Amino acid sequence: MVTKVPPRPTPARRALRPLLATGVAAGLAVGSLVVVPGTAQAEDEKSGGTTLTVAVSQSIDSLSPFLAQKLTSTSIHRLAYEYLTNYDPKDARAVPGLATAWTSSPDKLTWTYTIRKDSTWSDGQQATAEDAAWTFNKMMTDPDAATANGSFTANFAEVTAPDPQTLVIRLKKPQATMTALDVPIVPKHVWEKVTDFSKFNNDKTFPIVGNGPFVITDFKVDQYIKLKPNKKFWRGAPRFDELVFKYYKDGDAAVAALQKGEVSFVPNLTPAQAAALKTQTNIKVNDAPGRRFYALATNPGAKAQDGKTFGNGSKALLDPEVRKALFLAVDRTTLVDKVFQGHAVEGEGYIPPRFGSYFWKPETAQKRAYDPAAAEKVLDAAGYRKNAAGKRLGKDGRPLDLRILCHATDPNDKAVGKYLQEWWGKLGIGLKVECLDSVSDPWVKGDYDLAFDGWSVNPDPDYVLSIHTCGTLPATPKDSGATDNFICDKEFDGLYAQQAVEYDTAKRADLVKRMQSRLYDTGYMNIMAYPNALEAYRTDQIKSITTMPEAAGNLWGQDGYWSWWSAVPTDRAADSDGGSSTGVVIGIAAAVVVVVGLGVFLGLRRRSTADDRE
């Protein structure tokens, strides 16, 4: 769960509201999840309005949509900017966003999007196709602007806006992600003034102009970020008067704040925290299958596209036999049972089981099950012998000692680190667990041997797969790239290129599974678990909110803006629910229907990390 992390194009890497009278050219079914209301509400002392406060443990890497790659940052951009399309919170299919409709030419090389007329920037100007065209063209022509999401536009040949409501994208070759372009569209009239996209973090002038459901109004590094409802948002304004993401370095402090009513919501709970909160009055714990994976990443030898290597990763890990032995000595079952206490699923493939069509698991003969005796034999056969003191020696004759980057704010990293020290210690391999507030600096410099890694996977897996392609390596050692772990494998790249142009869903799913198989075999990534979304919120502050997927899904880190946009404060629930105060426990979906075409629409709401990537 590295924090440098890129993905989202999330390339990171990610709720529904009562009846609204809005004109929308779309048709879909969505669900609303409601919790039993409490007696109090969150109050903004200065304005007297309702405030929804979310505790976060991850720093903001950038408020620039062109640079941001961490989950917290990209989640906030979901709230502040529209994308061309969104994801239905019920089944994650593509639904209208800034674009109300889209068509492709028979050869799939030209895509035409109809841009809605009722989206305005928060400064009053209308959002148009020109804004979208400018955003994509800037990413196509400025490498710095392509830092976070460049994989989406790498195949674009030309992007034009023949009129305010028409966006045309011409491709070099077919591209399967054209209804899942997870790229925030920015206002041209604001961003065309930026001169250096590598340094502009968009965090000095507030409010920040956007066209999403919220407007960013204030930000203090490692303290908070504040947002207000966008009263002009085409789906309707959010119900809370303010949304605050408050930074907590310590998870127990965040939980204590939840118990006191100082925050409304806390994600990424430990099993012990969740168990304690379940007995608390006015607190609801949500425990649902997650969209993340939790992994061990090994440094494959950090390198740039110019061929130059850098960093100080252990040379021993370049040997596939060493990586194989290490992973044979990882007991995933124990980690799920003891560290996650059952609130996770044993890891295997790169895509979590929640994404059924893309989920892959190794065949019996391929699987590297826990077998420490086999690990010993692999190392012995590869020439890594033990000395008289029981220490495993490298090819240079020195004791084989490794380092692993650990997030200081993540108790899972620390707990798993202790198990690895024990298991690998029996192999004669030493392990130093280096827990840092931010692992980004050593990670991007290649100064690590292993790292705890993790990504939130989007409904379309293209981005989270792309971060392991050769093209995402930094141009030179001094540059930054979109790579997750410096992996560059020609066979993986070939499969990635094939899936990117495959429109047949079954064939594409097969290619994605073959990519996961290849990644598994290289041994650079060891997926240990798929953690549940374990989170809690106050029912005396939040009356109703939407999970994604609606039947049993998460609230934090959704693919869209559904949870915070749909959230209804307790004192307004009666009015917003049409006079009904009936609630149901979260996990029970109340199906609702949307009228197709211009008419009545039921709103809804949506990459990535305990708090890592998108």
Side-chain angles (χ1 to χ4, degrees):
M1 290 163 332
V2 110
T3 292
K4 82 188 180 130
V5 284
R8 208 247 220 186
T10 355
R13 208 92 8 141
R14 260 147 35 163
L16 180 238
R17 136 188 226 149
L19 194 59
L20 283 178
T22 55
V24 181
L28 55 150
V30 294
S32 179
L33 299 178
V34 191
V35 296
V36 179
T39 58
Q41 67 175 7
E43 288 293 338
D44 178 10
E45 295 180 357
K46 294 182 179 180
S47 66
T50 53
T51 298
L52 195 163
T53 303
V54 177
V56 296
S57 60
Q58 183 188 53
S59 300
I60 299 293
D61 54 347
S62 178
L63 287 182
S64 165
F66 298 99
L67 300 177
Q69 297 172 326
K70 291 183 181 180
L71 177 62
T72 299
S73 309
T74 56
S75 295
I76 289 169
H77 287 145
R78 282 276 186 188
L79 304 176
Y81 303 96
E82 276 277 47
Y83 297 17
L84 287 181
T85 61
N86 209 329
Y87 299 101
D88 187 332
K90 181 178 181 179
D91 56 14
R93 65 189 176 89
V95 296
L98 182 60
T100 61
W102 46 87
T103 60
S104 68
S105 59
D107 62 5
K108 304 293 186 181
L109 292 178
T110 301
W111 286 74
T112 303
Y113 301 83
T114 301
I115 303 301
R116 64 176 59 257
K117 297 180 179 180
D118 55 353
S119 178
T120 58
W121 298 108
S122 52
D123 63 1
Q125 294 199 35
Q126 184 174 354
T128 69
E130 182 60 29
D131 295 304
W134 186 89
T135 300
F136 291 131
N137 277 302
K138 176 55 66 173
M139 293 168 61
M140 293 162 60
T141 57
D142 187 334
D144 293 324
T147 298
N149 302 308
S151 64
F152 287 114
T153 60
N155 182 45
F156 288 9
E158 182 184 41
V159 182
T160 58
D163 62 65
Q165 271 68 60
T166 305
L167 176 73
V168 180
I169 300 177
R170 187 169 60 82
L171 305 173
K172 300 173 186 176
K173 56 186 177 182
Q175 182 170 320
T177 61
M178 296 307 290
T179 59
L181 297 173
D182 292 329
V183 177
I185 303 302
V186 302
K188 175 185 176 181
H189 65 281
V190 173
W191 283 83
E192 64 183 353
K193 301 171 186 176
V194 176
T195 57
D196 188 343
F197 280 75
S198 69
K199 297 180 180 179
F200 182 70
N201 281 313
N202 198 31
D203 57 2
K204 297 296 187 291
T205 302
F206 299 94
I208 294 174
V209 179
N211 64 339
F214 289 90
V215 177
I216 301 171
T217 58
D218 195 10
F219 170 61
K220 298 295 182 185
V221 177
D222 288 347
Q223 293 185 46
Y224 60 78
I225 183 166
K226 298 181 179 181
L227 303 92
K228 292 284 189 180
N230 179 0
K231 301 298 185 181
K232 303 172 183 177
F233 187 55
W234 66 272
R235 286 194 196 274
R239 304 302 180 84
F240 276 87
D241 297 307
E242 185 172 47
L243 174 62
V244 178
F245 293 89
K246 187 174 181 180
Y247 179 78
Y248 285 87
K249 180 179 178 180
D250 182 75
D252 288 333
V255 169
L258 180 74
Q259 292 173 314
K260 296 175 184 177
E262 296 172 354
V263 301
S264 314
F265 175 88
V266 176
N268 306 322
L269 298 173
T270 65
Q273 290 170 339
L277 289 174
K278 283 182 179 179
T279 65
Q280 301 292 304
T281 303
N282 295 328
I283 292 179
K284 177 66 184 179
V285 173
N286 183 36
D287 185 0
R291 57 187 285 250
R292 296 186 48 73
F293 64 76
Y294 181 79
L296 273 177
T298 63
N299 187 338
K303 57 183 174 293
Q305 293 188 43
D306 64 4
K308 295 181 180 179
T309 60
F310 54 96
N312 59 15
S314 171
K315 302 299 183 185
L317 291 175
L318 301 182
D319 188 337
E321 294 302 289
V322 173
R323 300 195 300 271
K324 178 180 180 181
L326 291 178
F327 294 166
L328 284 171
V330 175
D331 187 352
R332 295 172 179 80
T333 301
T334 291
L335 297 182
V336 168
D337 292 343
K338 301 299 183 181
V339 176
F340 295 98
Q341 296 182 28
H343 299 279
V345 176
E346 183 176 334
E348 292 181 301
Y350 193 67
I351 308 297
R354 169 167 160 176
F355 303 98
S357 61
Y358 296 115
F359 177 61
W360 169 88
K361 57 194 312 179
E363 299 292 339
T364 302
Q366 184 184 16
K367 184 173 181 177
R368 293 173 180 171
Y370 178 57
D371 191 341
E376 292 269 11
K377 293 178 181 179
V378 168
L379 290 171
D380 289 340
Y384 297 88
R385 301 290 182 174
K386 287 183 178 179
N387 62 16
K391 285 288 296 182
R392 190 74 59 171
L393 302 179
K395 294 296 179 67
D396 58 3
R398 298 178 181 177
L400 190 53
D401 292 314
L402 303 173
R403 306 157 297 164
I404 186 167
L405 286 176
C406 154
H407 297 77
T409 57
D410 192 336
N412 292 330
D413 283 9
K414 298 175 183 178
V416 174
K418 291 181 179 179
Y419 276 106
L420 295 181
Q421 287 176 320
E422 175 187 347
W423 294 331
W424 293 351
K426 292 178 180 178
L427 296 178
I429 298 174
L431 179 67
K432 181 181 180 181
V433 181
E434 300 179 335
C435 293
L436 306 174
D437 288 340
S438 174
V439 301
S440 296
D441 287 344
W443 192 300
V444 299
K445 293 177 181 177
D447 291 340
Y448 66 100
D449 298 331
L450 303 108
F452 290 109
D453 197 2
W455 283 89
S456 291
V457 178
N458 295 328
D460 189 293
D462 181 87
Y463 179 78
V464 81
L465 294 170
S466 74
I467 58 178
H468 294 307
T469 58
C470 300
T472 59
L473 295 175
T476 72
K478 294 182 179 180
D479 296 313
S480 61
T483 182
D484 172 41
N485 194 47
F486 302 104
I487 294 174
C488 178
D489 178 74
K490 297 301 182 183
E491 182 175 333
F492 184 88
D493 272 25
L495 292 168
Y496 175 79
Q498 290 181 58
Q499 69 81 33
V501 301
E502 182 56 71
Y503 285 94
D504 184 290
T505 55
K507 292 180 179 178
R508 185 175 183 226
D510 179 66
L511 287 166
V512 169
K513 291 177 181 178
R514 289 170 59 188
M515 293 178 70
Q516 295 177 75
S517 178
R518 176 59 183 172
L519 195 60
Y520 185 92
D521 287 342
T522 64
Y524 292 125
M525 295 286 293
N526 178 24
I527 310 301
M528 296 185 290
Y530 309 112
N532 285 7
L534 202 54
E535 51 199 11
Y537 61 94
R538 294 198 63 92
T539 58
D540 56 356
Q541 295 183 14
I542 303 174
K543 180 179 185 292
S544 65
I545 194 168
T546 300
T547 61
M548 183 179 185
E550 64 176 20
N554 55 291
L555 293 167
W556 171 247
Q558 293 181 352
D559 298 293
Y561 43 65
W562 307 123
S563 54
W564 314 129
W565 175 77
S566 73
V568 177
T570 54
D571 66 331
R572 299 183 182 181
D575 290 341
S576 62
D577 285 344
S580 173
S581 61
T582 302
V584 296
V585 177
I586 193 164
I588 302 176
V592 294
V593 179
V594 178
V595 176
V596 178
L598 292 176
V600 180
F601 171 72
L602 290 187
L604 31 154
R605 173 44 272 126
R606 172 181 124 100
R607 174 141 66 133
S608 250
T609 1
D611 246 2
D612 251 352
R613 330 287 181 76
E614 165 75 10

